[in-house]
Amino acid sequence: MDDSPDIFGDEPEEEALSAADLEAAGQESMFGAPEPRQAPKPAAAAPVISAQPYRVLARKYRSQTFAELIGQDAMVQTLANAIKRDRLAHAFLMTGIRGVGKTSTARLIAKALNCVGPDGQGGPTIDPCGQCEPCLAIAEGRHIDVIEMDAASHTGVDDVREIIEAVRYAAVSARYKIYIIDEVHMLSRNAFNALLKTLEEPPPHVKFLFATTEVDKLPVTVLSRCQRFDLKRIPSELLADHFAMICGKEGVEAEPEALAMIAAAADGSVRDGLSILDQAIAHADLGGDGKVSAVQVQEMLGLADKTAQRRLFAALVGGDATGLLDLIDQQFALGVDPPALLRGALELTHRVTLAQLGRDESSFSVDERNAVSEWAQRLSAGQLHRLWQLLLKGHDEVKTAPDPLVAARMALLRVLHASDLPDPGTLAKQLESALANAPRAESGAAPALEAAPVASLGWEQLIETVDRSGQLRVAQVMRDWVRVITLTPGELTYAVAAGYPGDVGPELRDALLRATGERWTVQRGEGEGAPTLREQAEAKKAAEDAALRSHPLVEAAFAVFPQAEIIEDTPDARVASLGNKWRN
């Protein structure tokens, strides 16, 4: 094929520019000389996409050494002593709430048992090097002799049978073959039974590491074959320090009060706290300055404002009902849940009680410490305990109420009005003062009850005879409606209490005949007659109540509590008791 240029004017392809040409192309031409050829513009660079996706803080800062495992010093010390003395159990069980480091601890134990050191000559150690091949492979989850299994998705006997078959073979490259079974309580009963023999007498090269949040669901036969470690909730102060350290590594500025809020919301769980911190950092970035502030965290978590909490508590103990309702409405409008209002008051009550015992907390703001200190001096222990009980009851009511806002208002108003009542010690002093000023009764004289008319014993016996004969309705009419004028053997003259319909004479005549076997002369007479047995009982009770209310001790109590009511079932016994005490 002819390589000569096309004679019809087609230009040959332009050669690539040399480095000298490119340099000359950037210089200006002189005296209007033609410009040299320009180098083609390079294509726009493609956006750089990170090869590694973002790792959440809970994964990025997972403990890689026992020194990084916060809040579990007792367990770490026990493991360290066991490794030093070569007294390693064949099965370990880690229990505790979510996010305290159960699975991380299992992986750290696997590292500690299989670490060979940077030189490859090391043995089991509580401080694995993190550099040798076993440490790196276990940290990355690719070690062939460290098998992790999720019991939630492998619950049956067949899954356990695979483990039983595999434990017979020695480890491929590690010192120990380790089985980490997470959420072990999810195994079925048959799976547990199948594992028992192997768990009790495993080969010397096998270790079992179990983790669970619900240890109560494990059979006792499994618990007795494991060395158990109960991982503790992480204290809020330790969590706040841990989050501050992570913020420093991440280059994020955070207010101490914001970290304290996150630590309190984490409820002892490191993972929960790191998830909230991740969210708080993202929320702070939207604000522009990238600082995690207490106001942003409060808004993000829907917490009541600390200042508003203190104002609400001040209204409670100060009796300001109008201000209290206004604060409740303001907080509700800001999105604070009604139960959170009572939780805030409960938290402040607890803090004030601790402050009375000298247990002030350093994580509080200066304003809050000053307010808590002032309340601790002004309120008594009895008032604080009563506040706690009332708020706790109100919190339970609000959680189950059909309208939580209305329930919160009523519950807090009840607490406010109850705060005006004296505590038992003050009440006792007020009663003693009232008794000291009351006129004393004469020595040996008990409060007298006005004598009530008593019906003839024969009439009561006659009613009982009618009652025993099976005529219950007529006997009840005789008690409630019949007033005796005269009563002699075989003859009854009576009157009827107002309100009874008709005449009771024929029924009385028939009932007495059937009850006694004799015919009675029963006739309705003139006059009111003696009160019925029911009227006599009511009069007696009214007299007893009047005597009880007139007692000096009861009068003193009513002077302190004007709206009180007497709910004594047996006032006569109560009056006698008060009379004895008064005479003494």
Side-chain angles (χ1 to χ4, degrees):
M1 189 173 182
D2 190 3
D3 293 330
S4 60
D6 191 336
I7 61 175
F8 293 101
D10 289 346
E11 293 289 336
E13 292 185 1
E14 196 172 276
E15 296 181 357
L17 298 177
S18 65
D21 294 335
L22 292 174
E23 183 178 359
Q27 300 175 355
E28 288 187 358
S29 60
M30 300 178 65
F31 307 107
E35 294 285 340
R37 290 179 298 175
Q38 298 293 325
K41 294 181 179 180
V48 178
I49 300 177
S50 175
Q52 294 293 334
Y54 174 71
R55 297 179 67 197
V56 297
L57 297 180
R59 293 189 59 194
K60 185 176 181 180
Y61 292 97
R62 184 187 289 269
S63 302
Q64 299 299 321
T65 64
F66 281 105
E68 297 176 0
L69 190 67
I70 63 173
Q72 311 299 342
D73 298 339
M75 180 196 68
V76 174
Q77 185 62 45
T78 302
L79 286 173
N81 294 340
I83 291 175
K84 288 178 183 178
R85 299 177 182 178
D86 195 21
R87 299 176 65 88
L88 291 169
H90 57 270
F92 297 90
L93 172 64
M94 273 66 69
T95 72
I97 65 168
R98 76 270 176 252
V100 292
K102 299 182 295 297
T103 306
S104 296
T105 299
R107 293 174 181 173
L108 290 176
I109 294 176
K111 277 187 185 181
L113 298 183
N114 285 327
C115 178
V116 295
D119 57 358
Q121 303 299 319
T125 174
I126 195 64
D127 296 313
C129 66
Q131 303 174 14
C132 62
E133 177 56 27
C135 285
L136 294 174
I138 293 173
E140 296 171 3
R142 57 178 175 82
H143 200 293
I144 192 172
D145 292 321
V146 178
I147 302 96
E148 291 194 33
M149 187 182 88
D150 177 21
S153 56
H154 300 80
T155 61
V157 177
D158 293 338
D159 301 305
V160 172
R161 188 177 293 119
E162 293 180 8
I163 297 177
I164 296 173
E165 293 295 328
V167 297
R168 297 184 299 172
Y169 304 102
V172 176
S173 61
R175 187 178 296 111
Y176 292 103
K177 178 180 284 190
I178 295 178
Y179 290 90
I180 300 176
I181 303 180
D182 202 5
E183 300 300 337
V184 68
H185 66 272
M186 299 294 289
L187 290 179
S188 65
R189 179 179 297 275
N190 292 335
F192 274 124
N193 291 335
L195 186 62
L196 286 180
K197 185 62 178 177
T198 303
L199 185 61
E200 185 172 16
E201 298 178 358
H205 60 272
V206 173
K207 301 291 183 184
F208 288 99
L209 305 178
F210 299 144
T212 179
T213 54
E214 302 184 40
V215 68
D216 294 338
K217 293 185 178 180
L218 267 65
V220 178
T221 50
V222 173
L223 293 174
S224 64
R225 288 167 168 82
C226 300
Q227 190 171 99
R228 174 175 169 176
F229 293 106
D230 292 291
L231 277 68
K232 302 176 182 177
R233 290 177 181 265
I234 313 302
S236 297
E237 297 81 5
L238 192 57
L239 278 178
D241 293 341
H242 184 62
F243 298 156
M245 179 270 295
I246 291 177
C247 286
K249 290 184 177 180
E250 292 289 313
V252 175
E253 187 178 357
E255 294 179 357
E257 190 173 356
L259 297 180
M261 287 182 182
I262 295 174
D267 194 25
S269 170
V270 181
R271 184 174 62 235
D272 287 6
L274 289 177
S275 298
I276 298 174
L277 180 60
D278 231 337
Q279 183 181 357
I281 293 174
H283 190 270
D285 286 340
L286 295 177
D289 57 358
K291 182 178 181 179
V292 179
S293 66
V295 174
Q296 290 173 327
V297 172
Q298 170 198 324
E299 180 182 354
M300 183 186 73
L301 297 178
L303 300 175
D305 182 9
K306 295 295 183 182
T307 304
Q309 284 183 354
R310 294 195 294 272
R311 290 202 301 267
L312 187 145
F313 190 81
L316 275 179
V317 298
D320 184 5
T322 303
L324 177 67
L325 291 177
D326 290 341
L327 286 169
I328 295 173
D329 293 340
Q330 291 171 10
Q331 290 297 292
F332 185 75
L334 292 174
V336 179
D337 291 332
L341 296 174
L342 281 94
R343 283 198 299 270
L346 281 166
E347 182 182 357
L348 270 176
T349 304
H350 177 242
R351 292 178 180 179
V352 175
T353 305
L354 292 182
Q356 286 187 338
L357 302 175
R359 297 287 300 274
D360 195 8
E361 301 291 342
S362 59
S363 61
F364 303 154
S365 65
V366 176
D367 292 340
E368 190 165 5
R369 282 201 299 270
N370 292 337
V372 168
S373 176
E374 192 270 332
W375 283 322
Q377 296 175 5
R378 181 160 61 93
L379 300 176
S380 66
Q383 287 176 300
L384 289 171
H385 288 299
R386 183 171 55 200
L387 272 175
W388 176 266
Q389 294 296 332
L390 291 170
L391 288 169
L392 194 62
K393 178 178 176 57
H395 181 266
D396 293 340
E397 292 176 354
V398 171
K399 287 196 302 183
T400 58
D403 190 335
L405 176 60
V406 172
R409 288 173 179 164
M410 296 303 296
L412 290 173
L413 285 174
R414 180 176 61 205
V415 175
L416 180 144
H417 293 304
S419 64
D420 295 334
L421 298 179
D423 59 80
T426 305
L427 175 61
K429 293 179 180 179
Q430 292 179 359
L431 291 176
E432 290 176 0
S433 175
L435 285 174
N437 297 327
R440 298 182 62 88
E442 296 181 2
S443 177
L449 291 176
E450 183 181 351
V454 180
S456 169
L457 182 60
W459 178 241
E460 293 184 10
Q461 291 177 340
L462 192 60
I463 293 176
E464 292 297 329
T465 303
V466 173
D467 203 344
R468 286 195 299 270
S469 68
Q471 303 176 86
L472 304 182
R473 192 189 69 82
V474 180
Q476 190 62 41
V477 170
M478 294 169 70
R479 291 190 184 93
D480 294 346
W481 299 98
V482 175
R483 293 176 172 176
V484 177
I485 298 177
T486 61
L487 176 63
T488 58
E491 185 175 344
L492 169 63
T493 303
Y494 69 92
V496 179
Y500 185 79
D503 187 10
V504 73
E507 286 186 296
L508 287 176
R509 193 176 296 108
D510 183 62
L512 293 174
L513 173 61
R514 294 172 56 187
T516 63
E518 299 177 359
R519 291 189 177 275
W520 280 67
T521 301
V522 178
Q523 58 184 353
R524 187 167 182 169
E526 300 293 334
E528 294 292 331
T532 65
L533 296 185
R534 175 175 59 83
E535 291 172 335
Q536 294 178 31
E538 291 174 351
K540 181 180 179 182
K541 184 178 184 303
E544 291 170 346
D545 290 343
L548 182 61
R549 282 181 173 271
S550 64
H551 192 278
L553 184 60
V554 178
E555 289 181 344
F558 272 103
V560 177
F561 301 104
Q563 302 300 324
E565 296 181 4
I566 297 178
I567 55 173
E568 178 64 48
D569 289 335
T570 56
D572 51 347
R574 183 61 174 159
V575 167
S577 175
L578 291 175
N580 294 334
K581 292 181 180 179
W582 182 244
R583 288 196 303 271
N584 294 332

